[in-house]
Amino acid sequence: MAIVRAEPTGVPPTVTTVANPPPTVPIFCWREFACGWGAAFVNITVTYPIYKMIFRQMLHGVQLTQAFGQLRSEGMTYLYRGIFPPLAQKTISLSLMFGVYDSTRRPLVEYCHVNPYTAKTVAGMVAGTFEAMLMPFERVQTLLADATYHQKYRNTHHAFKIIILENGIKELYRGLVPVLWRNGPSNAMFFVLREEADSRLPKRHSILSQRTQEFVAGACIGAFISSLFYPLNVVKVTMQCRVGGPYDSMWTALRQVYNDRDRKLRNVYKGVSMNCTRAFFSWGIMNTAYEQLKKVFY
């Protein structure tokens, strides 16, 4: 930026060059938090019944038809049982995921001049770690989705109350290690791949084709990452379906699952096809909803 200083008549003006001020980077951008919250609300409401079938496959190692049969025999009364914990957890979780990621990445790039890919990775890991604070909701959701506890826990509030009274707050964080191993790396991978797809894919002229591209991009990335980290979810479910007793390590739980499923790796992946299908639609819906909400808030 050039500043011209006036001089007496007959003397050429003095031109002083001043460097442009550094960009202002707000640490907290509420719009990113709001977009993440809204995208999660749409996503969970649509895909929760599919989650319950996958959960039964994870827990019991049964085929898809058997899991569907279990839910059908229980009736519509129990189909959306347990939806409040994931709705509360995922809306806040995705709000943190997008908000904390954006609030971490931009200062790293614009103030600290960190390599963009390094900044995205660090920001994704930080966002994933923040999400783990909401693990008690995931813990209660697991118990409410398991038919074993249908009679013991009436609803979300009742489950929280009984667990804390009988076993203490620590019980709500059973299975924390696999959650941390899942959240941080998967978040980092998601944001790197998502932004690569956004920058490399062509911009579509029609609204329908652009929305379709956003859906497919988010769906493919989400399905790939969800399948890659699927064994960690199996271990988490196995650990969290126990209430009270000793706290097994993640590796102990993994060995238990492997041994219980005839020591075959493919049996550990039972339910992965349905999980991939759910993730495909879930992340496709989430990515499209997020992009639409950005147009509303920005």
Side-chain angles (χ1 to χ4, degrees):
M1 179 172 62
I3 298 176
V4 180
R5 182 182 301 136
E7 298 289 352
T9 305
V11 179
T14 302
V15 179
T16 304
T17 302
V18 180
N20 289 324
T24 302
V25 183
I27 298 300
F28 179 85
C29 182
W30 67 268
R31 294 178 180 86
E32 289 293 326
F33 289 88
C35 289
W37 190 96
F41 183 88
V42 174
N43 173 33
I44 293 298
T45 304
V46 173
T47 62
Y48 186 72
I50 303 176
Y51 157 77
K52 290 200 76 170
M53 282 193 288
I54 298 166
F55 170 83
R56 296 298 174 85
Q57 287 188 280
M58 285 182 177
L59 182 60
H60 302 298
V62 297
Q63 298 296 326
L64 175 61
T65 52
Q66 292 172 283
F68 177 77
Q70 289 180 5
L71 296 181
R72 185 177 180 182
S73 65
E74 292 165 12
M76 286 295 296
T77 305
Y78 289 105
L79 182 60
Y80 274 89
R81 173 184 163 87
I83 193 176
F84 179 74
L87 198 60
Q89 186 248 340
K90 281 296 182 182
T91 50
I92 301 173
S93 177
L94 271 186
S95 178
L96 287 174
M97 176 179 169
F98 282 98
V100 172
Y101 170 80
D102 183 72
S103 299
T104 304
R105 181 192 62 81
R106 285 188 295 114
L108 286 175
V109 172
E110 297 186 33
Y111 282 157
C112 304
H113 306 293
V114 174
N115 177 278
Y117 288 100
T118 302
K120 291 172 188 177
T121 302
V122 171
M125 296 290 288
V126 170
T129 303
F130 266 85
E131 283 184 75
M133 294 188 300
L134 302 170
M135 189 187 143
F137 288 104
E138 197 170 351
R139 172 80 170 105
V140 170
Q141 174 194 353
T142 299
L143 295 175
L144 291 177
D146 186 358
T148 306
Y149 298 101
H150 277 180
Q151 303 306 315
K152 184 172 183 178
Y153 304 121
R154 294 193 300 270
N155 50 44
T156 302
H157 177 265
H158 185 247
F160 270 113
K161 179 181 177 180
I162 297 300
I163 291 170
I164 293 173
L165 287 176
E166 292 182 354
N167 305 99
I169 293 178
K170 183 181 178 182
E171 183 66 34
L172 295 174
Y173 287 89
R174 185 185 289 267
L176 177 62
V177 174
V179 168
L180 289 173
W181 275 96
R182 178 197 65 187
N183 282 14
S186 64
N187 272 13
M189 190 177 295
F190 171 78
F191 282 113
V192 170
L193 292 177
R194 180 179 179 274
E195 291 181 19
E196 284 296 300
D198 186 56
S199 63
R200 295 175 184 274
L201 291 175
K203 300 300 179 185
R204 304 294 179 178
H205 297 294
S206 73
I207 296 176
L208 179 60
S209 59
Q210 184 62 33
R211 296 296 85 78
T212 303
Q213 180 170 288
E214 291 167 357
F215 177 88
V216 172
C220 291
I221 294 169
F224 169 70
I225 294 174
S226 181
S227 299
L228 184 64
F229 289 90
Y230 186 77
L232 287 174
N233 275 329
V234 174
V235 171
K236 176 195 73 81
V237 165
T238 302
M239 296 174 74
Q240 291 187 342
C241 279
R242 174 186 292 180
V243 180
Y247 287 80
D248 294 333
S249 70
M250 183 178 76
W251 306 112
T252 301
L254 181 59
R255 284 197 300 270
Q256 178 191 335
V257 171
Y258 182 67
N259 291 330
D260 289 347
R261 302 196 179 181
D262 301 325
R263 301 178 65 84
K264 292 180 180 178
L265 187 60
R266 68 178 183 177
N267 288 343
V268 177
Y269 277 88
K270 269 194 175 177
V272 71
S273 58
M274 191 64 180
N275 181 72
C276 184
T277 302
R278 171 182 173 266
F280 183 87
F281 288 103
S282 175
W283 285 98
I285 292 168
M286 184 280 300
N287 196 49
T288 306
Y290 173 80
E291 293 296 339
Q292 292 308 297
L293 288 168
K294 280 184 70 175
K295 292 179 173 61
V296 173
F297 287 111
Y298 280 89

